[in-house]
Amino acid sequence: MPKDADIRKKAQAYLKHLGDEAKELSAYGEVTVDDLLNEALELTDCRVEADVLNEAVQIRLAQMNLDETPEEARERYMRWQAHEKQTVKRPNRFLALRVAAAAIAGVLVLTISSYGVARAFDWRFIIRILQPFAETFGLSERVSDTAADNLDDLVKQSSEEMAQSLEQDVDAFMEKRYDSLDEMPGIVSGYVGRPSWIPEGYSFSYGISYLDRNRAFLTTVYSNGETEFFVRLAVSIGVETQEDILFEKNPGTGEIQMVSGYEVVFFSNMDLTGAVWSANDAYYLISGYLEIGDIKRIIQSIYGG
Amino acid sequence: MKRFACILLMALLGLSTVVFAEEEFVVMRADDFFSSYGTNISRLGGGGLSITFSTTAVQTMQILGVNSYSVEQKINGSWTTVAPNNPGKLSTNTISHSSTASYYGSSGGEYRIYTCFYAMKYDGSYKYVWKYSPSIVAN
């Protein structure tokens, strides 16, 4: 079915061909070219071929032009149509534009959808293929966070190179690592940072401290040679902050028990057991392959029990 | 045929929208890489914000930290990324990571941080997780 715009375009072309006659019609003051086209379109209701409509147009023109019979008008129209058919076809720029627009839209939509699905299912192979497309179309503002390129380069580096790369990123606030318990601070801002009791078989492995404008962290890691557990203390330093921390856990776990006067949430994360509790401006996190009873004893030892 | 193709494309577009939308809601679930991750924001004055990232892993990781982060500002009721894909910091051979960044916006502007945390085990397997921080109004 021809579109209204197509019919109108073809009719306009014929009217342009008519030239003087069309101007003469306008001069009559009885009808404008647009009126004529609208009338013809209304008559055909867009359900006929463009040629039929054009014929209706030229007949209508003839009816208003007293010097030309409908037969003469139709004959002239047929000559014009024959001439148009003999004219060498020019490249259809509009068609090319449509195809290009459709191709871009298709790539865009497929990139969005495929990329979204790949991300949802963590199909990294697809993510890496689509990443350049997503970036090209500005779709990966967040998604480009997934770009493993930098990290992949990092992973390919040797340990020394990796250390140098990371070293370049450090600024005034640096994590400090401790390989000896004696060198490590035990109290931060009045909060005891590590337990005085740990389960049998475990020993101090390493510790990490960090201090910036707002927060102080102290992580103490213990190992029994096969598994590890850690005690982490996080303290807010006297400024108003907005914080949101997420603790990974198995669905359905999260039992609150009172230990040393604090409400401690015990939960499981895979095969690990975790415990988290807050104490004024601080919170503690313990995580490892531990029994809840051992974690309770660790907590009690932090508070002198 | 054209209508069918249009409907199919719209359905795919809708599907991807749903996928992206779901990722904005971080739910608690078990994880064999991370045990916790979060972002702390405080005001520095003059539109400045101090951002503290912290994460812990289930075991000592070869690499752990922040792959990248983006700063978003609420403009006309919608969150708009104003500083995308800033590089984060990474630590090696560690079970915990903490780092700090600053962002200077405009006083009275409401901001939040979208962080990509990263962990890689010694066997080469790795994982990313994304998390929004709470929003804060800069002073």
Side-chain angles (χ1 to χ4, degrees):
Chain A
M1 183 185 297
K3 290 181 179 177
D4 183 292
D6 292 338
I7 297 169
R8 189 178 288 270
K9 190 187 296 178
K10 193 160 186 178
Q12 285 279 17
Y14 181 61
L15 288 171
K16 188 178 179 183
H17 167 74
L18 290 175
D20 292 342
E21 284 87 348
K23 289 177 187 173
E24 195 175 336
L25 278 172
S26 299
Y28 282 132
E30 296 176 0
V31 63
T32 65
V33 172
D34 277 337
D35 289 340
L36 186 65
L37 288 171
N38 286 332
E39 182 183 334
L41 285 169
E42 195 175 341
L43 283 172
T44 57
D45 198 23
C46 296
R47 282 192 293 270
V48 295
E49 293 297 327
D51 287 349
V52 178
L53 172 74
N54 284 333
E55 192 169 344
V57 169
Q58 59 90 11
I59 290 170
R60 183 77 178 94
L61 280 169
Q63 286 172 344
M64 291 186 291
N65 187 344
L66 300 176
D67 296 328
E68 191 172 40
T69 65
E71 288 72 23
E72 288 171 338
R74 184 177 291 110
E75 191 180 337
R76 181 169 51 180
Y77 172 71
M78 297 303 288
R79 282 200 306 274
W80 170 76
Q81 200 172 39
H83 172 75
E84 284 291 296
K85 284 179 181 174
Q86 287 173 357
T87 305
V88 178
K89 281 196 172 182
R90 290 162 294 191
N92 191 337
R93 285 185 297 173
F94 291 106
L95 180 63
L97 283 173
R98 284 182 186 176
V99 170
I104 291 171
V107 169
L108 197 64
V109 169
L110 288 174
T111 300
I112 294 170
S113 55
S114 306
Y115 201 69
V117 172
R119 279 196 66 199
F121 292 101
D122 205 21
W123 295 338
R124 298 194 177 281
F125 175 70
I126 297 176
I127 289 174
R128 290 184 190 192
I129 291 175
L130 294 175
Q131 182 74 27
F133 293 100
E135 288 178 349
T136 298
F137 292 112
L139 302 174
S140 58
E141 196 165 70
R142 290 174 188 153
V143 180
S144 63
D145 291 353
T146 68
D149 294 348
N150 292 337
L151 285 166
D152 283 349
D153 291 338
L154 202 60
V155 171
K156 288 172 190 167
Q157 296 173 343
S158 66
S159 297
E160 291 84 14
E161 289 170 336
M162 192 183 298
Q164 286 175 358
S165 299
L166 295 174
E167 198 69 27
Q168 292 169 0
D169 286 332
V170 300
D171 60 12
F173 304 114
M174 292 178 60
E175 288 183 313
K176 188 172 182 182
R177 188 182 180 95
Y178 305 91
D179 293 321
S180 165
L181 197 58
D182 296 335
E183 299 170 358
M184 190 173 172
I187 296 176
V188 176
S189 223
Y191 294 93
V192 176
R194 59 173 182 262
S196 58
W197 180 89
I198 56 174
E200 189 176 346
Y202 282 91
S203 61
F204 173 80
S205 179
Y206 62 91
I208 294 171
S209 67
Y210 184 78
L211 175 68
D212 71 5
R213 306 177 188 94
N214 318 309
R215 307 286 285 173
F217 297 96
L218 197 64
T219 305
T220 314
V221 184
Y222 302 88
S223 171
N224 64 2
E226 293 181 356
T227 63
E228 299 170 315
F229 80 88
F230 69 84
V231 178
R232 182 167 170 86
L233 165 66
V235 184
S236 295
I237 307 173
V239 292
E240 185 185 352
T241 62
Q242 294 288 335
E243 180 166 23
D244 183 22
I245 189 160
L246 185 146
F247 301 98
E248 298 283 8
K249 72 179 187 69
N250 297 337
T253 65
E255 181 188 356
I256 299 175
Q257 293 189 32
M258 292 297 293
V259 183
S260 297
Y262 294 95
E263 287 188 348
V264 180
V265 181
F266 291 92
F267 56 90
S268 300
N269 179 25
M270 309 299 285
D271 296 330
L272 289 88
T273 304
V276 62
W277 72 99
S278 61
N280 299 323
D281 296 328
Y283 75 82
Y284 288 85
L285 171 64
I286 298 175
S287 175
Y289 293 93
L290 299 170
E291 301 291 332
I292 288 183
D294 286 340
I295 294 181
K296 284 183 179 176
R297 284 197 64 182
I298 291 170
I299 296 171
Q300 288 164 349
S301 74
I302 289 174
Y303 294 105
Chain B
M1 185 62 190
K2 285 180 182 175
R3 288 183 181 174
F4 174 76
C6 284
I7 291 169
L8 181 64
L9 289 174
M10 291 303 291
L12 285 170
L13 186 61
L15 176 64
S16 64
T17 305
V18 169
V19 169
F20 282 123
E22 281 186 349
E23 289 203 353
E24 293 184 3
F25 297 94
V26 181
V27 296
M28 294 180 80
R29 77 276 188 204
D31 194 282
D32 57 352
F33 282 79
F34 295 92
S35 60
S36 72
Y37 43 90
T39 310
N40 175 291
I41 317 177
S42 64
R43 302 176 184 91
L44 291 174
L49 298 173
S50 178
I51 308 154
T52 305
F53 307 101
S54 67
T55 181
T56 58
V58 297
Q59 65 189 60
T60 296
M61 294 282 166
Q62 186 174 8
I63 300 176
L64 179 68
V66 176
N67 179 34
S68 62
Y69 67 94
S70 298
V71 181
E72 297 185 0
Q73 183 178 4
K74 203 171 206 176
I75 300 172
N76 296 327
S78 298
W79 287 106
T80 306
T81 304
V82 291
N85 299 328
N86 302 283
K89 294 177 183 174
L90 300 165
S91 302
T92 55
N93 305 320
T94 185
I95 206 166
S96 71
H97 167 87
S98 307
S99 56
T100 305
S102 300
Y103 177 76
Y104 287 88
S106 54
S107 296
E110 186 176 3
Y111 297 91
R112 69 178 181 183
I113 313 299
Y114 190 64
T115 309
C116 173
F117 293 94
Y118 174 82
M120 189 183 82
K121 294 180 178 177
Y122 287 96
D123 63 6
S125 60
Y126 57 88
K127 185 171 185 178
Y128 300 90
V129 292
W130 291 263
K131 191 177 185 315
Y132 276 112
S133 73
S135 62
I136 192 170
V137 176
N139 60 5

